[in-house]
mmCIF file of all heavy atoms in Angstrom:
data_model
loop_
_atom_site.group_PDB
_atom_site.id
_atom_site.type_symbol
_atom_site.label_atom_id
_atom_site.label_comp_id
_atom_site.label_asym_id
_atom_site.label_seq_id
_atom_site.Cartn_x
_atom_site.Cartn_y
_atom_site.Cartn_z
ATOM 1 N N LEU A 24 -12.388 -3.917 4.353
ATOM 2 C CA LEU A 24 -11.887 -4.564 5.551
ATOM 3 C C LEU A 24 -12.945 -4.778 6.626
ATOM 4 O O LEU A 24 -12.732 -5.525 7.558
ATOM 5 C CB LEU A 24 -10.742 -3.738 6.151
ATOM 6 C CG LEU A 24 -9.498 -3.651 5.276
ATOM 7 C CD1 LEU A 24 -8.456 -2.780 5.944
ATOM 8 C CD2 LEU A 24 -8.931 -5.023 5.009
ATOM 9 N N VAL A 25 -14.095 -4.117 6.512
ATOM 10 C CA VAL A 25 -15.131 -4.262 7.531
ATOM 11 C C VAL A 25 -15.869 -5.567 7.317
ATOM 12 O O VAL A 25 -16.546 -5.737 6.309
ATOM 13 C CB VAL A 25 -16.126 -3.088 7.473
ATOM 14 C CG1 VAL A 25 -17.194 -3.263 8.536
ATOM 15 C CG2 VAL A 25 -15.402 -1.776 7.680
ATOM 16 N N PRO A 26 -15.762 -6.540 8.225
ATOM 17 C CA PRO A 26 -16.513 -7.776 8.077
ATOM 18 C C PRO A 26 -18.004 -7.501 8.052
ATOM 19 O O PRO A 26 -18.522 -6.707 8.826
ATOM 20 C CB PRO A 26 -16.128 -8.579 9.329
ATOM 21 C CG PRO A 26 -14.797 -8.032 9.726
ATOM 22 C CD PRO A 26 -14.869 -6.563 9.381
ATOM 23 N N ALA A 27 -18.696 -8.153 7.134
ATOM 24 C CA ALA A 27 -20.115 -7.890 6.922
ATOM 25 C C ALA A 27 -20.979 -8.375 8.077
ATOM 26 O O ALA A 27 -20.625 -9.292 8.797
ATOM 27 C CB ALA A 27 -20.573 -8.566 5.635
ATOM 28 N N CYS A 28 -22.147 -7.723 8.224
ATOM 29 C CA CYS A 28 -23.135 -8.203 9.180
ATOM 30 C C CYS A 28 -23.841 -9.410 8.576
ATOM 31 O O CYS A 28 -23.935 -9.531 7.367
ATOM 32 C CB CYS A 28 -24.159 -7.119 9.475
ATOM 33 S SG CYS A 28 -23.449 -5.654 10.248
ATOM 34 N N SER A 29 -24.369 -10.281 9.412
ATOM 35 C CA SER A 29 -24.949 -11.518 8.902
ATOM 36 C C SER A 29 -26.244 -11.851 9.587
ATOM 37 O O SER A 29 -26.436 -11.571 10.757
ATOM 38 C CB SER A 29 -23.951 -12.667 9.107
ATOM 39 O OG SER A 29 -24.567 -13.910 8.852
ATOM 40 N N ASP A 30 -27.157 -12.454 8.825
ATOM 41 C CA ASP A 30 -28.356 -13.005 9.442
ATOM 42 C C ASP A 30 -28.321 -14.520 9.387
ATOM 43 O O ASP A 30 -29.317 -15.186 9.550
ATOM 44 C CB ASP A 30 -29.623 -12.476 8.766
ATOM 45 C CG ASP A 30 -29.695 -12.824 7.289
ATOM 46 O OD1 ASP A 30 -28.820 -13.570 6.806
ATOM 47 O OD2 ASP A 30 -30.641 -12.347 6.618
ATOM 48 N N ASP A 31 -27.113 -15.087 9.130
ATOM 49 C CA ASP A 31 -26.936 -16.528 9.097
ATOM 50 C C ASP A 31 -26.594 -17.022 10.492
ATOM 51 O O ASP A 31 -25.503 -16.829 10.976
ATOM 52 C CB ASP A 31 -25.789 -16.885 8.120
ATOM 53 C CG ASP A 31 -25.494 -18.373 8.090
ATOM 54 O OD1 ASP A 31 -26.272 -19.146 8.680
ATOM 55 O OD2 ASP A 31 -24.483 -18.747 7.461
ATOM 56 N N LYS A 32 -27.539 -17.660 11.140
ATOM 57 C CA LYS A 32 -27.343 -18.150 12.494
ATOM 58 C C LYS A 32 -27.068 -19.657 12.524
ATOM 59 O O LYS A 32 -26.880 -20.241 13.573
ATOM 60 C CB LYS A 32 -28.610 -17.877 13.333
ATOM 61 C CG LYS A 32 -29.000 -16.401 13.371
ATOM 62 C CD LYS A 32 -27.938 -15.561 14.030
ATOM 63 C CE LYS A 32 -28.400 -14.115 14.157
ATOM 64 N NZ LYS A 32 -27.395 -13.269 14.784
ATOM 65 N N SER A 33 -27.068 -20.292 11.376
ATOM 66 C CA SER A 33 -26.934 -21.746 11.330
ATOM 67 C C SER A 33 -25.489 -22.175 11.350
ATOM 68 O O SER A 33 -24.583 -21.429 11.008
ATOM 69 C CB SER A 33 -27.584 -22.279 10.041
ATOM 70 O OG SER A 33 -26.896 -21.780 8.915
ATOM 71 N N GLY A 34 -25.260 -23.425 11.736
ATOM 72 C CA GLY A 34 -23.946 -24.031 11.632
ATOM 73 C C GLY A 34 -22.975 -23.609 12.694
ATOM 74 O O GLY A 34 -21.794 -23.908 12.591
ATOM 75 N N GLY A 35 -23.428 -22.910 13.706
ATOM 76 C CA GLY A 35 -22.519 -22.415 14.735
ATOM 77 C C GLY A 35 -21.978 -23.518 15.605
ATOM 78 O O GLY A 35 -22.608 -24.541 15.807
ATOM 79 N N SER A 36 -20.791 -23.306 16.147
ATOM 80 C CA SER A 36 -20.184 -24.272 17.039
ATOM 81 C C SER A 36 -19.198 -23.568 17.933
ATOM 82 O O SER A 36 -18.435 -22.736 17.473
ATOM 83 C CB SER A 36 -19.462 -25.372 16.240
ATOM 84 O OG SER A 36 -18.735 -26.204 17.113
ATOM 85 N N ASP A 37 -19.217 -23.859 19.198
ATOM 86 C CA ASP A 37 -18.255 -23.286 20.132
ATOM 87 C C ASP A 37 -17.200 -24.307 20.525
ATOM 88 O O ASP A 37 -16.427 -24.083 21.436
ATOM 89 C CB ASP A 37 -18.978 -22.797 21.395
ATOM 90 C CG ASP A 37 -19.889 -21.620 21.094
ATOM 91 O OD1 ASP A 37 -19.521 -20.828 20.209
ATOM 92 O OD2 ASP A 37 -20.947 -21.514 21.731
ATOM 93 N N LYS A 38 -17.174 -25.451 19.826
ATOM 94 C CA LYS A 38 -16.259 -26.525 20.194
ATOM 95 C C LYS A 38 -14.950 -26.400 19.430
ATOM 96 O O LYS A 38 -14.931 -26.173 18.229
ATOM 97 C CB LYS A 38 -16.894 -27.892 19.892
ATOM 98 C CG LYS A 38 -18.169 -28.154 20.680
ATOM 99 C CD LYS A 38 -18.689 -29.549 20.411
ATOM 100 C CE LYS A 38 -19.096 -29.726 18.966
ATOM 101 N NZ LYS A 38 -19.649 -31.055 18.712
ATOM 102 N N GLY A 39 -13.843 -26.559 20.130
ATOM 103 C CA GLY A 39 -12.542 -26.652 19.495
ATOM 104 C C GLY A 39 -12.116 -25.359 18.822
ATOM 105 O O GLY A 39 -12.717 -24.307 18.977
ATOM 106 N N ASP A 40 -11.035 -25.466 18.039
ATOM 107 C CA ASP A 40 -10.459 -24.309 17.381
ATOM 108 C C ASP A 40 -10.576 -24.393 15.870
ATOM 109 O O ASP A 40 -9.932 -23.616 15.160
ATOM 110 C CB ASP A 40 -8.979 -24.180 17.769
ATOM 111 C CG ASP A 40 -8.795 -23.940 19.259
ATOM 112 O OD1 ASP A 40 -9.620 -23.218 19.838
ATOM 113 O OD2 ASP A 40 -7.838 -24.496 19.821
ATOM 114 N N ASP A 41 -11.388 -25.306 15.339
ATOM 115 C CA ASP A 41 -11.525 -25.468 13.895
ATOM 116 C C ASP A 41 -12.438 -24.373 13.358
ATOM 117 O O ASP A 41 -13.658 -24.420 13.507
ATOM 118 C CB ASP A 41 -12.086 -26.851 13.565
ATOM 119 C CG ASP A 41 -11.976 -27.163 12.083
ATOM 120 O OD1 ASP A 41 -11.752 -26.213 11.297
ATOM 121 O OD2 ASP A 41 -12.113 -28.339 11.704
ATOM 122 N N THR A 42 -11.844 -23.384 12.706
ATOM 123 C CA THR A 42 -12.617 -22.262 12.196
ATOM 124 C C THR A 42 -13.684 -22.716 11.216
ATOM 125 O O THR A 42 -14.780 -22.150 11.176
ATOM 126 C CB THR A 42 -11.677 -21.249 11.521
ATOM 127 O OG1 THR A 42 -10.687 -20.820 12.463
ATOM 128 C CG2 THR A 42 -12.438 -20.032 11.028
ATOM 129 N N ALA A 43 -13.385 -23.745 10.436
ATOM 130 C CA ALA A 43 -14.330 -24.212 9.425
ATOM 131 C C ALA A 43 -15.627 -24.737 10.024
ATOM 132 O O ALA A 43 -16.643 -24.809 9.331
ATOM 133 C CB ALA A 43 -13.679 -25.297 8.561
ATOM 134 N N ASP A 44 -15.621 -25.100 11.298
ATOM 135 C CA ASP A 44 -16.828 -25.608 11.946
ATOM 136 C C ASP A 44 -17.740 -24.495 12.459
ATOM 137 O O ASP A 44 -18.879 -24.758 12.862
ATOM 138 C CB ASP A 44 -16.460 -26.521 13.123
ATOM 139 C CG ASP A 44 -15.885 -27.855 12.661
ATOM 140 O OD1 ASP A 44 -16.104 -28.202 11.475
ATOM 141 O OD2 ASP A 44 -15.223 -28.518 13.460
ATOM 142 N N LEU A 45 -17.260 -23.268 12.449
ATOM 143 C CA LEU A 45 -18.040 -22.156 12.968
ATOM 144 C C LEU A 45 -19.023 -21.628 11.922
ATOM 145 O O LEU A 45 -18.890 -21.903 10.728
ATOM 146 C CB LEU A 45 -17.110 -21.028 13.410
ATOM 147 C CG LEU A 45 -16.050 -21.380 14.458
ATOM 148 C CD1 LEU A 45 -15.165 -20.170 14.728
ATOM 149 C CD2 LEU A 45 -16.691 -21.880 15.742
ATOM 150 N N SER A 46 -20.002 -20.868 12.379
ATOM 151 C CA SER A 46 -20.948 -20.251 11.449
ATOM 152 C C SER A 46 -20.280 -19.075 10.741
ATOM 153 O O SER A 46 -19.218 -18.597 11.150
ATOM 154 C CB SER A 46 -22.182 -19.754 12.202
ATOM 155 O OG SER A 46 -21.859 -18.617 12.987
ATOM 156 N N ALA A 47 -20.931 -18.600 9.687
ATOM 157 C CA ALA A 47 -20.391 -17.460 8.947
ATOM 158 C C ALA A 47 -20.217 -16.248 9.848
ATOM 159 O O ALA A 47 -19.200 -15.547 9.790
ATOM 160 C CB ALA A 47 -21.313 -17.126 7.770
ATOM 161 N N GLN A 48 -21.206 -16.003 10.709
ATOM 162 C CA GLN A 48 -21.121 -14.848 11.603
ATOM 163 C C GLN A 48 -19.978 -14.988 12.600
ATOM 164 O O GLN A 48 -19.246 -14.029 12.864
ATOM 165 C CB GLN A 48 -22.433 -14.666 12.355
ATOM 166 C CG GLN A 48 -22.465 -13.445 13.269
ATOM 167 C CD GLN A 48 -22.350 -12.130 12.488
ATOM 168 O OE1 GLN A 48 -23.264 -11.771 11.765
ATOM 169 N NE2 GLN A 48 -21.226 -11.437 12.644
ATOM 170 N N GLU A 49 -19.811 -16.178 13.141
ATOM 171 C CA GLU A 49 -18.740 -16.396 14.111
ATOM 172 C C GLU A 49 -17.368 -16.222 13.471
ATOM 173 O O GLU A 49 -16.457 -15.640 14.068
ATOM 174 C CB GLU A 49 -18.873 -17.794 14.725
ATOM 175 C CG GLU A 49 -20.074 -17.925 15.648
ATOM 176 C CD GLU A 49 -20.350 -19.363 16.061
ATOM 177 O OE1 GLU A 49 -20.122 -20.270 15.240
ATOM 178 O OE2 GLU A 49 -20.799 -19.570 17.202
ATOM 179 N N ILE A 50 -17.222 -16.723 12.258
ATOM 180 C CA ILE A 50 -15.948 -16.571 11.546
ATOM 181 C C ILE A 50 -15.675 -15.098 11.263
ATOM 182 O O ILE A 50 -14.562 -14.599 11.464
ATOM 183 C CB ILE A 50 -15.962 -17.374 10.230
ATOM 184 C CG1 ILE A 50 -16.082 -18.871 10.523
ATOM 185 C CG2 ILE A 50 -14.701 -17.086 9.416
ATOM 186 C CD1 ILE A 50 -16.331 -19.718 9.288
ATOM 187 N N SER A 51 -16.705 -14.389 10.814
ATOM 188 C CA SER A 51 -16.564 -12.965 10.546
ATOM 189 C C SER A 51 -16.175 -12.202 11.800
ATOM 190 O O SER A 51 -15.283 -11.345 11.785
ATOM 191 C CB SER A 51 -17.880 -12.414 9.984
ATOM 192 O OG SER A 51 -17.817 -11.027 9.807
ATOM 193 N N ASP A 52 -16.818 -12.516 12.914
ATOM 194 C CA ASP A 52 -16.514 -11.842 14.177
ATOM 195 C C ASP A 52 -15.080 -12.092 14.620
ATOM 196 O O ASP A 52 -14.383 -11.184 15.090
ATOM 197 C CB ASP A 52 -17.473 -12.307 15.269
ATOM 198 C CG ASP A 52 -18.893 -11.790 15.057
ATOM 199 O OD1 ASP A 52 -19.071 -10.857 14.250
ATOM 200 O OD2 ASP A 52 -19.822 -12.337 15.692
#
Side-chain angles (χ1 to χ4, degrees):
L24 295 178
V25 180
C28 297
S29 169
D30 60 6
D31 177 9
K32 303 297 185 180
S33 64
S36 172
D37 293 327
K38 298 184 296 182
D40 297 323
D41 192 344
T42 303
D44 288 341
L45 303 177
S46 71
Q48 183 64 69
E49 290 170 326
I50 296 171
S51 176
D52 290 345

